[in-house]
Amino acid sequence: MSFIQSFGAAETVTGSCHFLQLDNGPNILIDCGYFQGENEEQTYAPFDFDPNDVDIVLLTHGHLDHVGRVPKLVKEGFDGRLIALRATMDLAEVILKDSAKIAEEDYKTAMKKARRVGGEKQIPPPIYTSDDVKAVFDLIIQYANYNRAIKLTPDVTVTFRNAGHILGSATLQIDINEDGHKKTLVFSGDLGSRRDLIMTPPDTVTTADALYIESTYGDRDHSPLDETITEFKDIIINTLNNRGNVLIPSFAVERTQEVLLLLKEMYYDKELPPCKVYLDSPMAIRATQIYNHYHAELNDTAQHILLRDGAIFEFPYLQYSLKNKDSMRINKQEEGCIIIAGSGMCTGGRILHHFKHRLWDERNSVIFVGFQVQGSLGRQLIDGAESIQIFNETINVNAQIHTLNGFSAHADQTDLLAWMSEFEQLGKVYLIHGEAEKQAVFKGVIQEQLDKPVHIVKYGEKVYV
């Protein structure tokens, strides 16, 4: 029998990686992502399967926790077909190049320290290099289009449906004919909210004998978007009027673009006090350019702004900080700035330097606009840490810490249930991509409201389909 094994995003949010082995082939890997937060060490562990055995890789979207280990997969033997939307690969290229750069820089730093004590042999090589990332794009890449079936073999097709999560995000519908028996497997990917500021709502899928669905927010609903926007504006206005600065740790893809859109609207509505808005992330700057390029895939609001202004995100207060020296100059400005920088979970990147310079000042505010995985520095801050360690220095947390989950690019419980209820035929439901305690809540809600059998997927277990 055919079966699926999940070697990531099983009772945890990150590391998405699902291996579908079909009786008559091919062997299909759905995503191959980084583990983040408390599970980060699993990123560097050997794969639980032989990369040479993978025939096809399907990517649901370009976030690091879904594509971050693809260069490692190629480095260790995969040389088959890679299928994704073109926008996904454009974003993935930006994200993977940044990931390789960080890995290479961390290796150089570790080696420099190790040489002082003769410990060079103790330092493992980087997980992959920039050349390994290039090798990914030397593969046979087949670009998908939404709602057009791609034949993988005479008996297996895959159709990419719009997941509404980020640019190029997809739900995968895999139709299989095994010895005259037809079945449909659906992998939701990360589903977007129906109230997203930029993306269109997720497409409806009608049939699934087995549904693998994300459950990041399966235990609760987000705050109402209009309330979240009001709170966001109030924090910005009050902080700037109090001669403070606003720090926004933000993911380069989707969340940054939403924040820019809101600040632009505040500017044109004359709600934004005079200030400088710094987008201090080369990766986010490039991602914003990609969003501009694929503007036709964005929602009506974005189309209206583009038609009105000739640009979706740019406005007079906005400055791009591309180089390190541009970023360092920001620290000379004592007040009146909004700094948007990565990484989104504060596990690295330029946001750490801004924390070092500004987190101790009670006039300043930090706005978290994205999910903070367990074990990340961002999670420590939203959980109330009074001090944190940055660059081997203790920094007191005196700035005001705000968490706004209404901006989430993930569907909440109501969104997930509404999307599932649109299936005309739905068999068993398998929960992935969520923390275990939240999945337990979501399982009970699905059983109660949709009356469907539900299973929480364990790491590495064989699920026969």
Side-chain angles (χ1 to χ4, degrees):
M1 290 181 64
S2 300
F3 61 87
I4 303 167
Q5 289 180 284
S6 294
F7 298 113
E11 295 186 302
T12 188
V13 172
T14 61
S16 185
C17 185
H18 312 283
F19 196 9
L20 169 59
Q21 300 187 57
L22 300 175
D23 278 349
N24 301 322
N27 290 332
I28 302 170
L29 193 68
I30 295 97
D31 290 338
C32 191
Y34 244 68
F35 289 90
Q36 295 166 301
E38 62 184 11
N39 298 308
E40 185 175 357
E41 289 303 314
Q42 285 184 257
T43 294
Y44 307 94
F47 287 110
D48 293 280
F49 53 87
D50 187 345
N52 291 282
D53 292 339
V54 180
D55 299 306
I56 297 170
V57 172
L58 306 176
L59 297 180
T60 63
H61 65 286
H63 272 149
L64 187 66
D65 63 325
H66 289 258
V67 303
R69 286 187 292 164
V70 173
K72 183 176 188 287
L73 188 78
V74 175
K75 182 179 179 180
E76 296 182 12
F78 171 71
D79 64 353
R81 293 160 67 191
L82 191 155
I83 305 175
L85 275 88
R86 191 175 293 272
T88 290
M89 295 310 297
D90 284 356
L91 290 172
E93 184 174 16
V94 174
I95 287 170
L96 292 175
K97 284 181 176 178
D98 182 76
S99 176
K101 179 182 176 183
I102 291 171
E104 290 169 323
E105 289 176 350
D106 287 349
Y107 174 73
K108 289 177 183 177
T109 300
M111 282 296 290
K112 185 177 179 180
K113 293 179 179 178
R115 288 191 185 101
R116 297 170 187 160
V117 294
E120 295 96 326
K121 293 181 180 180
Q122 309 299 319
I123 306 301
I127 183 172
Y128 49 76
T129 65
S130 299
D131 287 340
D132 296 323
V133 171
K134 183 179 181 299
V136 172
F137 293 87
D138 290 337
L139 292 171
I140 298 172
I141 299 178
Q142 184 171 357
Y143 293 110
N145 294 293
Y146 286 131
N147 303 318
R148 292 186 187 176
I150 296 173
K151 187 164 285 193
L152 304 181
T153 71
D155 295 318
V156 183
T157 64
V158 61
T159 305
F160 286 65
R161 311 286 188 190
N162 182 11
H165 173 59
I166 66 169
L167 188 69
S169 61
T171 293
L172 304 182
Q173 176 183 322
I174 302 175
D175 292 297
I176 305 163
N177 186 342
E178 286 187 333
D179 301 323
H181 298 288
K182 296 182 179 180
K183 53 190 171 186
T184 300
L185 311 180
V186 173
F187 290 82
S188 73
D190 285 359
L191 289 169
S193 168
R194 292 174 297 170
R195 300 168 300 282
D196 195 277
L197 292 170
I198 297 177
M199 300 305 302
T200 58
D203 283 346
T204 298
V205 183
T206 58
T207 302
D209 296 294
L211 169 63
Y212 270 59
I213 187 169
E214 70 124 316
S215 50
T216 310
Y217 291 102
D219 64 328
R220 65 188 186 275
D221 284 344
H222 302 315
S223 302
L225 183 57
D226 56 349
E227 293 181 10
T228 301
I229 292 173
T230 298
E231 188 175 356
F232 176 83
K233 290 180 178 180
D234 287 345
I235 296 166
I236 295 283
I237 293 168
N238 291 336
T239 303
L240 292 176
N241 287 340
N242 196 37
R243 300 179 62 189
N245 306 281
V246 181
L247 309 179
I248 305 178
S250 189
F251 299 98
V253 177
E254 181 67 14
R255 197 52 40 80
T256 289
Q257 289 74 43
E258 289 185 331
V259 169
L260 290 178
L261 203 65
L262 283 172
L263 292 172
K264 176 174 181 171
E265 291 298 270
M266 287 179 69
Y267 171 83
Y268 280 105
D269 291 340
K270 302 188 185 306
E271 296 177 311
L272 187 61
C275 64
K276 292 182 179 179
V277 178
Y278 295 102
L279 181 52
D280 188 23
S281 165
M283 185 165 61
I285 292 169
R286 177 61 184 134
T288 302
Q289 293 169 340
I290 293 171
Y291 266 73
N292 276 318
H293 179 73
Y294 291 99
H295 61 81
E297 295 187 20
L298 307 181
N299 65 17
D300 290 343
T301 299
Q303 305 300 334
H304 171 74
I305 292 171
L306 178 64
L307 186 64
R308 182 191 70 189
D309 303 332
I312 300 174
F313 305 106
E314 286 72 21
F315 63 102
Y317 288 176
L318 177 61
Q319 297 184 29
Y320 293 124
S321 300
L322 193 59
K323 299 179 180 179
N324 284 333
K325 62 180 181 180
D326 300 327
S327 179
M328 293 171 66
R329 275 198 290 263
I330 298 172
N331 293 322
K332 296 179 181 179
Q333 185 170 334
E334 294 186 3
E335 61 184 76
C337 58
I338 299 171
I339 304 167
I340 306 165
S343 69
M345 294 186 192
C346 311
T347 52
R350 293 179 179 179
I351 193 64
L352 298 183
H353 295 276
H354 298 300
F355 278 171
K356 178 180 176 180
H357 286 274
R358 303 182 190 270
L359 201 57
W360 51 267
D361 191 335
E362 63 186 12
R363 297 177 303 166
N364 297 332
S365 295
V366 179
I367 305 178
F368 284 100
V369 291
F371 183 81
Q372 303 300 307
V373 72
Q374 288 181 354
S376 65
L377 178 59
R379 187 66 165 254
Q380 292 179 41
L381 288 169
I382 67 173
D383 285 346
E386 295 182 356
S387 64
I388 58 173
Q389 290 289 317
I390 300 178
F391 308 125
N392 297 316
E393 184 176 343
T394 300
I395 307 295
N396 288 335
V397 181
N398 296 325
Q400 305 301 306
I401 307 297
H402 304 272
T403 305
L404 306 180
N405 70 19
F407 292 137
S408 178
H410 283 272
D412 61 16
Q413 185 186 96
T414 296
D415 289 328
L416 292 168
L417 291 171
W419 186 77
M420 293 168 66
S421 68
E422 293 174 344
F423 278 80
E424 296 172 6
Q425 176 187 330
L426 178 58
K428 192 164 185 177
V429 177
Y430 297 88
L431 301 187
I432 54 171
H433 207 287
E435 295 171 352
E437 63 275 14
K438 298 177 181 179
Q439 291 180 320
V441 173
F442 192 37
K443 176 180 178 178
V445 173
I446 295 171
Q447 290 172 329
E448 179 182 346
Q449 296 194 24
L450 300 182
D451 193 26
K452 297 293 180 182
V454 185
H455 177 71
I456 297 174
V457 177
K458 309 291 184 185
Y459 187 96
E461 73 167 315
K462 289 185 178 180
V463 174
Y464 291 92
V465 293

